[in-house]
Amino acid sequence: MTMFLSSNHFPGVSIKEKESLDAALNTILDRDLQGNLYQMLGSYQKVLADNNQRKHWPDIHERLRTLFMCGKSMPLDGPMIGIPLSIRDSDYFKETVAHFGNERSRIASIEWMATAWNMTFADTGLWMGKTFEPVAKETVAEKCGNDTQVMAGFNPATSRIGRNYFREPVVRDIIQSLGIPALTPVWNLLDRPFSTSEEGFNGELTPENLTKEKNIPYSETGGIFLANTGQSVVAEMNGKEVYQLNYRWPGLGPVYPMTRLIDEVVQIHEGIYLGQLVFATQHYSLGKLRQPFCPDLPEIPVGEPYDPHKKHPLDFLWKRFSDQGEEMDYGYQNNGYFLMMDPAYAQQVYADHAFPQLRPHPGESGYAELGYDKIPDAPEVTKAPAATGQGSLEITDWVNGWKADKELNDKFTTFILEPSPKASDPDDVQDMPRNDESILQMLQRISSDISVQTKKDDQLYHFEKLHRLFRRGVAPKVKNGVFKGHGKKGYNIQANGRQERDWYGQGEPAQGFDYYHGANLNLHLGFKETFCPDPDARFDRSQLFPSAFADVLEHSTTSPNILDMAWHSIGKYIFPWAGKSYEKISGRKLSMFLDESDDLEIRYPERVKELKSFLASAPHLALVQKNRNHFQTKEGPYAAHLKSGSWDKGMTDGDKAFWEKEANDRWVDGNNIQDQRIVAADPLMHVIDMNYNVPDPYLQGLSGKGPSPFARQGYIFLGTSDRESILPMNSGENTKKKVFQFHYRYPVVGGPAPIGLCLDEIVEIADGLFLGQLIYSTALNVPFHSSVDPAEFKYQLFGYFLLLDDAWQYHRLAIELDTV
């Protein structure tokens, strides 16, 4: 290995810098090289492909940088298996932050590209490598525009023209399935060649290379480049010798972002080459535009065509007025790393401890050639939750297999009910399930019926079965500060966190943490009941806000259920809502969240400053300002226990004792949880939702053992028990329906609009299964205050949702409720 890795391969450094580079290289080899280099690099790739481990990315990038600096420049020839290690954002503020001693700006550190790549194609094998083919001198001249330096460096032994390999992902979601179809027309991809006589390729298709390609599973090829030995174009590389792959020449027909790309490769081991992605950050082409109504006119170039030696007619002006010399400064930067590996070592590349995700699958090239067809497939393991009781069976068929397990059968078919507060309700809930149907399968059937009935007629009476079921459900409770249901366990996982989190200057881990998975049943446009309560009456268009609903409600008796249709056709595939989590809340935090005093800016200056920093939280900030101006003269129910001051500023011991008891008996700290799809939008969510956060890794790990791990938390709320429902439809004349409520509306809770209009309610209808009502205020011009009669906010039902424990979630995924 030392013949390829040495500090001597990095030029222009002092003795001290060389010693430092040696030390860094030796540390890597001593610490990380526990098996072989494939295993070490595979471990790096796993970290860099995991958005949950982004805090380790800078360290891995630094190790790869050391390996690249110490790698040896060697020409490549023939096919190579490839895998991206990382993709980094261009840092357009690099020079600015360098003055402050920072290597990378905070904006670039968001790493949009890496996050999105990891969410989509990181482990699919979409890009499978490259090939480097012999090329005629005339072809090189044509592609580079007869550039003097390129032609002077032409050498049949090292000059190559190359193309990339692309593979259809074996397991695909909707985004991954668009990969090859989207790339094919843009990059003019060609089918994989199997004969030296196939046409359309710029290089020489040799029998030797086509034979080597058999160990690489790919179907399409394209994205051509010119390759030869040269010096690195990245300033920090000190002119290091590399093997350079240039995609930028206009004659190659590059499409953005290839118009910015130069790859640089060094050898670090026998058969292993480390490459760095290099992108220009200035003076690049964005492509060409064709005039839509004048197809015969020439295309209009956008940006600057690649012309490193300025052969254009105005070259003399550049030379005269530029202080940068004759070479164009393209602002090249490292944008990540990739590997190229000789297919002769395919077995080591595809090994379990290296890059098994690249391994050929049945029907692909390399599967039979490498003998994978002779290896018996490992038995498929179906993930199942922990045993449910004495004599319980391991469930592999979650559609119907639960019926053979007595405990699960009881769980999935037994309601948790109380009498309806409406005396007129028929006692038919127990009869709603059909023979051999679980409660969840019953809900799926009812939901499908509602979707059909409301497709052209979005009226609440179509939801009547869900209304009746909700009125019969039992409100969960809070016991010793912990959310608790009425089933056998009363919880899903219930654990304490390990990571200490700061809350307003005090740190503590999560206590009494629990979470439930989420699913939507049906949505409804709740504005209908506010602006047109009589379905046969005409509404006053002048009172309607937003006015966009006017056309929808114009013929209210036949208006389509646009929200439900949008959710089931598009929304559930896009929105990453995965459920809700609960944990204990301290009296200190609860007193702050329920505070509606007129001096919130003085009591909680940092929190109010956050509200001001997040434009999406403007409605909550407006409440702070309205409270300051005494817009509401009445006091809220908790005002008496806040008059002595905030918890940190003067609150009496008696009031503190009240808040501790209130937190212990009635309230929990809540978060909406999101699945992995949200991670690609991390930077945006951090800007929108002031409460958006990465959960405690330990708690995330616990969710990873279940059917649907969560990745992020946000859209915080206060959960409270023993409340009377705010919807009149849930109560009778003399009896109020008791529910568990989710409060988003208090001023310093914060969160993005329109969450500040939301106040949801849930009841438990079976062990670990909760039915929820999505409720929003439709009086958009009435500011929230806890002293105001809920009727003034004109709360309306916008739909039903479910919260499910792990067992129900396994069943839900199997029957595909709200998933397809």
Side-chain angles (χ1 to χ4, degrees):
M1 186 180 298
T2 53
M3 66 176 291
F4 296 110
L5 284 173
S6 170
S7 62
N8 293 326
H9 297 149
F10 191 70
V13 292
S14 65
I15 294 177
K16 185 175 181 179
E17 291 170 327
K18 183 179 182 300
E19 290 175 348
S20 177
L21 186 57
D22 276 329
L25 176 61
N26 290 332
T27 298
I28 293 171
L29 299 180
D30 292 341
R31 179 184 59 187
D32 298 348
L33 193 60
Q34 301 301 318
N36 56 45
L37 201 62
Y38 295 100
Q39 182 174 349
M40 183 185 86
L41 295 169
S43 68
Y44 288 175
Q45 189 272 338
K46 288 179 177 63
V47 173
L48 294 170
D50 184 353
N51 288 333
N52 293 325
Q53 299 194 59
R54 62 175 59 242
K55 67 180 180 181
H56 300 300
W57 291 356
D59 180 47
I60 301 295
H61 283 134
E62 189 60 32
R63 297 183 216 180
L64 291 171
R65 183 172 182 265
T66 297
L67 291 174
F68 187 88
M69 292 167 68
C70 295
K72 184 176 183 179
S73 174
M74 296 289 286
L76 279 79
D77 186 47
M80 294 285 163
I81 304 168
I83 186 170
L85 294 178
S86 69
I87 299 174
R88 308 190 79 188
D89 293 347
S90 294
D91 192 348
Y92 293 95
F93 301 94
K94 186 174 182 178
E95 293 185 7
T96 302
V97 300
H99 293 298
F100 300 96
N102 297 323
E103 184 177 340
R104 200 159 172 79
S105 69
R106 294 188 66 181
I107 293 178
S109 297
I110 292 173
E111 303 294 7
W112 276 90
M113 293 291 292
T115 302
W117 177 260
N118 290 347
M119 286 289 294
T120 51
F121 297 107
D123 285 322
T124 63
L126 175 70
W127 177 71
M128 280 298 297
K130 307 175 189 285
T131 189
F132 301 81
E133 296 169 334
V135 60
K137 189 173 185 178
E138 295 75 17
T139 301
V140 174
E142 174 194 348
K143 299 300 182 184
C144 73
N146 208 26
D147 182 86
T148 304
Q149 291 190 17
V150 173
M151 299 314 298
F154 179 83
N155 182 343
T158 61
S159 296
R160 293 289 182 268
I161 195 165
R163 51 187 169 85
N164 288 269
Y165 298 144
F166 299 97
R167 172 196 199 184
E168 283 280 7
V170 177
V171 179
R172 297 176 287 176
D173 59 22
I174 190 170
I175 295 177
Q176 293 164 358
S177 64
L178 295 175
I180 295 296
L183 288 177
T184 297
V186 174
W187 287 358
N188 298 314
L189 299 187
L190 300 173
D191 291 338
R192 174 179 186 154
F194 291 96
S195 167
T196 58
S197 62
E198 295 196 33
E199 299 180 353
F201 296 90
N202 298 277
E204 180 184 352
L205 298 176
T206 68
E208 295 80 9
N209 285 345
L210 292 180
T211 299
K212 292 178 182 178
E213 281 190 359
K214 290 182 179 180
N215 287 348
I216 307 176
Y218 80 95
S219 56
E220 303 296 318
T221 183
I224 62 173
F225 54 86
L226 292 179
N228 205 347
T229 54
Q231 292 184 338
S232 175
V233 295
V234 179
E236 293 83 355
M237 288 293 113
N238 295 352
K240 174 180 171 59
E241 293 294 323
V242 295
Y243 193 64
Q244 200 168 78
L245 289 55
N246 195 326
Y247 293 81
R248 303 193 65 194
W249 296 107
L252 296 170
V255 178
Y256 184 87
M258 295 303 180
T259 54
R260 300 170 54 193
L261 178 62
I262 290 179
D263 288 339
E264 297 180 344
V265 180
V266 295
Q267 189 166 9
I268 60 174
H269 189 56
E270 186 67 41
I272 303 179
Y273 302 82
L274 177 63
Q276 69 169 347
L277 294 159
V278 178
F279 278 90
T281 58
Q282 54 194 18
H283 305 301
Y284 51 82
S285 171
L286 293 172
K288 296 180 180 180
L289 294 178
R290 182 176 294 279
Q291 301 183 59
F293 303 108
C294 305
D296 296 331
L297 293 179
E299 295 176 320
I300 301 173
V302 181
E304 300 180 38
Y306 179 61
D307 188 11
H309 308 123
K310 296 175 296 302
K311 300 183 295 297
H312 49 75
L314 299 181
D315 181 35
F316 72 95
L317 291 176
W318 176 268
K319 292 179 180 178
R320 180 167 183 174
F321 296 106
S322 174
D323 60 356
Q324 298 179 6
E326 295 190 4
E327 291 295 326
M328 181 77 78
D329 180 10
Y330 286 109
Y332 286 115
Q333 291 183 10
N334 171 283
N335 282 79
Y337 294 94
F338 61 95
L339 286 175
M340 307 291 295
M341 295 166 285
D342 193 325
Y345 300 91
Q347 296 282 12
Q348 291 97 311
V349 175
Y350 301 144
D352 289 341
H353 59 256
F355 307 102
Q357 65 270 44
L358 304 182
R359 188 180 301 159
H361 292 271
E364 290 186 313
S365 179
Y367 185 74
E369 286 82 355
L370 294 169
Y372 291 114
D373 58 334
K374 302 297 192 298
I375 301 174
D377 293 332
E380 184 176 349
V381 177
T382 303
K383 201 173 185 181
T388 56
Q390 288 291 333
S392 65
L393 305 174
E394 184 183 71
I395 306 301
T396 57
D397 172 16
W398 278 95
V399 176
N400 295 301
W402 53 270
K403 297 174 184 177
D405 186 306
K406 183 182 184 305
E407 196 161 341
L408 272 181
N409 195 313
D410 290 344
K411 178 184 178 77
F412 284 1
T413 58
T414 304
F415 285 103
I416 291 177
L417 302 173
E418 66 182 12
S420 171
K422 280 195 170 184
S424 60
D425 274 352
D427 188 15
D428 63 347
V429 170
Q430 298 278 12
D431 300 325
M432 286 184 182
R434 294 174 179 172
N435 290 337
D436 292 330
E437 191 177 52
S438 71
I439 293 173
L440 199 61
Q441 288 168 322
M442 174 203 78
L443 288 168
Q444 184 179 38
R445 172 173 49 81
I446 292 174
S447 176
S448 297
D449 291 344
I450 293 173
S451 292
V452 172
Q453 293 163 358
T454 63
K455 188 173 184 180
K456 295 182 179 179
D457 183 27
D458 186 13
Q459 300 293 343
L460 269 181
Y461 64 79
H462 293 302
F463 293 73
E464 186 57 33
K465 288 185 178 179
L466 295 181
H467 299 337
R468 295 203 304 271
L469 183 56
F470 187 88
R471 288 192 288 264
R472 293 291 309 275
V474 183
K477 54 190 175 182
V478 174
K479 185 174 182 181
N480 297 324
V482 175
F483 177 85
K484 192 166 181 61
H486 297 277
K488 188 171 183 179
K489 285 199 310 180
Y491 63 90
N492 184 30
I493 63 165
Q494 205 173 99
N496 295 328
R498 305 283 178 83
Q499 185 180 69
E500 188 168 281
R501 306 159 308 168
D502 177 76
W503 175 254
Y504 224 71
Q506 288 189 12
E508 62 177 3
Q511 299 291 319
F513 177 88
D514 206 356
Y515 80 100
Y516 289 85
H517 310 276
N520 277 294
L521 290 177
N522 298 88
L523 300 180
H524 165 71
L525 187 60
F527 285 100
K528 292 171 63 69
E529 284 67 45
T530 294
F531 298 110
C532 191
D534 182 354
D536 296 322
R538 306 283 289 181
F539 62 89
D540 183 354
R541 296 174 68 94
S542 65
Q543 295 181 1
L544 189 58
F545 178 83
S547 60
F549 289 123
D551 292 334
V552 175
L553 303 180
E554 181 66 48
H555 304 289
S556 60
T557 57
T558 58
S559 59
N561 192 341
I562 56 175
L563 291 183
D564 195 61
M565 290 188 291
W567 173 260
H568 287 289
S569 61
I570 300 173
K572 64 185 176 185
Y573 301 108
I574 299 175
F575 293 103
W577 179 68
K580 297 181 186 289
S581 67
Y582 314 106
E583 59 188 81
K584 286 186 177 182
I585 189 168
S586 66
R588 176 178 181 266
K589 189 173 185 180
L590 180 63
S591 68
M592 176 179 177
F593 272 158
L594 294 181
D595 200 337
E596 297 174 294
S597 303
D598 57 8
D599 59 347
L600 294 176
E601 292 169 285
I602 298 173
R603 290 181 177 223
Y604 317 109
E606 290 88 355
R607 187 67 176 178
V608 175
K609 183 179 179 181
E610 276 192 284
L611 289 173
K612 293 178 179 178
S613 300
F614 287 81
L615 294 179
S617 294
H620 286 90
L621 177 62
L623 289 179
V624 172
Q625 296 165 341
K626 289 180 182 297
N627 287 335
R628 181 186 62 201
N629 298 329
H630 306 285
F631 84 101
Q632 183 55 250
T633 57
K634 295 181 180 179
E635 289 186 343
Y638 298 103
H641 299 283
L642 292 161
K643 287 184 177 179
S644 61
S646 67
W647 187 284
D648 295 337
K649 297 178 180 178
M651 183 179 287
T652 65
D653 290 341
D655 285 335
K656 287 183 178 180
F658 166 83
W659 286 112
E660 290 286 13
K661 185 176 188 330
E662 190 72 10
N664 185 73
D665 296 347
R666 300 183 61 165
W667 296 86
V668 293
D669 195 358
N671 277 270
N672 284 276
I673 55 177
Q674 293 95 19
D675 61 32
Q676 282 287 344
R677 290 174 293 175
I678 196 66
V679 179
D682 257 352
L684 178 63
M685 293 305 301
H686 280 297
V687 171
I688 292 177
D689 184 1
M690 59 189 289
N691 303 305
Y692 185 73
N693 69 92
V694 178
D696 182 326
Y698 173 71
L699 299 176
Q700 264 186 308
L702 291 179
S703 81
K705 297 176 181 178
S708 302
F710 63 86
R712 296 291 185 268
Q713 293 174 295
Y715 294 95
I716 67 172
F717 59 86
L718 296 171
T720 182
S721 62
D722 195 31
R723 298 289 169 167
E724 292 181 352
S725 175
I726 57 173
L727 292 183
M729 61 178 285
N730 290 331
S731 298
E733 291 184 7
N734 302 313
T735 307
K736 297 291 185 180
K737 176 63 183 173
K738 288 296 183 72
V739 297
F740 191 94
Q741 290 180 341
F742 303 147
H743 287 258
Y744 297 86
R745 306 203 67 188
Y746 285 88
V748 297
V749 169
I755 201 67
L757 298 170
C758 188
L759 202 164
D760 296 340
E761 299 180 343
I762 64 168
V763 293
E764 190 169 16
I765 59 173
D767 185 352
L769 180 63
F770 304 85
L771 181 62
Q773 290 183 331
L774 181 64
I775 302 171
Y776 278 87
S777 165
T778 59
L780 305 182
N781 60 340
V782 180
F784 174 77
H785 195 275
S786 61
S787 67
V788 177
D789 185 341
E792 293 189 32
F793 297 119
K794 298 181 180 179
Y795 286 113
Q796 298 292 356
L797 177 67
F798 276 73
Y800 281 93
F801 63 92
L802 295 172
L803 296 177
L804 316 91
D805 68 14
D806 281 352
W808 284 108
Q809 178 70 353
Y810 279 108
H811 185 37
R812 174 218 170 186
L813 296 176
I815 65 176
E816 299 181 335
L817 169 60
D818 192 39
T819 60
V820 296

